[in-house]
Amino acid sequence: MRKTITLLVVLFGSLFYAVHAAAETKVGYLDVTRVTEESPQYVSARKSLQKELDRREGDLRSKAEKLKKLEQKLQRDAKVMSESELKRLERDIMSRQRKLKNSRDEYRDELTLRQNEERNKLLRQVAEVVRTIGKEEGFDLILTDGVAYASKKVDISDKVLKRLKKSFR
């Protein structure tokens, strides 16, 4: 009987300690997607990238239009051109097609690289702000992706956005 009472006391004591420990744990949640997309750093980086892209896209469009005009000339004048002129024009068209394809591939690769650089830079800034808030406000755990539900009470996304906006100025 004494063992049963002792076991019950230990069991209830453990449950009380577990409930007490859980009550003291401070948990937060961060919506990383929302924070990154609404941050001024993201908006600024997107505008900067867009300016670069507009210039490059204009250059690619210009090359594509020149190529199209040459292809139209080939179709239109092929019957009246000499054999050597025809072969020269066909080689020129094929060469321009390869160069245009390479330029487009290069453009896509560079775009992806630049987007990743900017995203990683922003994510480092977000992580630093989250660590700072976590330490300042005594969080034990801050969760991000993979959370099925988080109440506004634990969502620190607005705090992080506010700090990002403050640091952007």
Side-chain angles (χ1 to χ4, degrees):
M1 178 80 164
R2 201 178 240 312
K3 285 185 174 180
T4 306
I5 292 175
T6 305
L7 184 61
L8 285 173
V9 168
V10 169
L11 183 63
F12 283 121
S14 297
L15 283 171
F16 175 75
Y17 176 75
V19 168
H20 181 68
E24 292 180 14
T25 303
K26 188 171 180 183
V27 177
Y29 167 71
L30 175 71
D31 185 346
V32 177
T33 304
R34 184 178 141 234
V35 167
T36 54
E37 289 178 358
E38 292 180 13
S39 71
Q41 290 87 341
Y42 175 81
V43 172
S44 174
R46 195 177 70 224
K47 286 180 182 176
S48 174
L49 273 175
Q50 191 60 47
K51 284 181 184 176
E52 290 178 35
L53 299 179
D54 288 345
R55 181 182 50 79
R56 294 278 305 266
E57 286 177 354
D59 184 43
L60 289 174
R61 271 193 301 272
S62 173
K63 288 179 181 179
E65 287 171 11
K66 288 178 184 176
L67 178 61
K68 187 177 179 181
K69 286 179 183 177
L70 287 176
E71 289 170 339
Q72 288 171 346
K73 179 180 179 180
L74 177 65
Q75 285 179 343
R76 184 182 61 236
D77 299 340
K79 293 180 180 174
V80 295
M81 294 177 115
S82 70
E83 184 81 23
S84 64
E85 286 177 320
L86 185 62
K87 285 185 180 188
R88 192 172 348 113
L89 184 57
E90 287 173 340
R91 280 193 294 268
D92 187 30
I93 289 173
M94 288 190 333
S95 173
R96 286 174 188 254
Q97 286 172 335
R98 277 193 303 275
K99 287 179 183 177
L100 182 60
K101 182 188 179 307
N102 290 340
S103 293
R104 283 182 175 150
D105 292 345
E106 208 175 275
Y107 167 74
R108 261 191 306 277
D109 291 345
E110 188 176 326
L111 172 62
T112 301
L113 179 68
R114 291 281 291 124
Q115 286 174 330
N116 288 339
E117 286 172 353
E118 292 297 328
R119 185 180 69 244
N120 290 336
K121 181 179 166 185
L122 178 57
L123 288 176
R124 283 192 299 275
Q125 289 176 322
V126 169
E128 185 58 37
V129 169
V130 169
R131 276 192 291 280
T132 302
I133 289 174
K135 288 177 184 176
E136 288 175 0
E137 297 188 16
F139 282 95
D140 297 303
L141 177 67
I142 297 176
L143 303 169
T144 59
D145 301 329
V147 175
Y149 171 77
S151 72
K152 283 288 185 188
K153 180 178 157 185
V154 296
D155 191 347
I156 65 166
S157 302
D158 289 332
K159 291 178 183 178
V160 173
L161 268 170
K162 188 175 183 179
R163 294 253 180 125
L164 286 170
K165 288 176 182 175
K166 191 176 187 179
S167 71
F168 184 68
R169 296 179 188 143

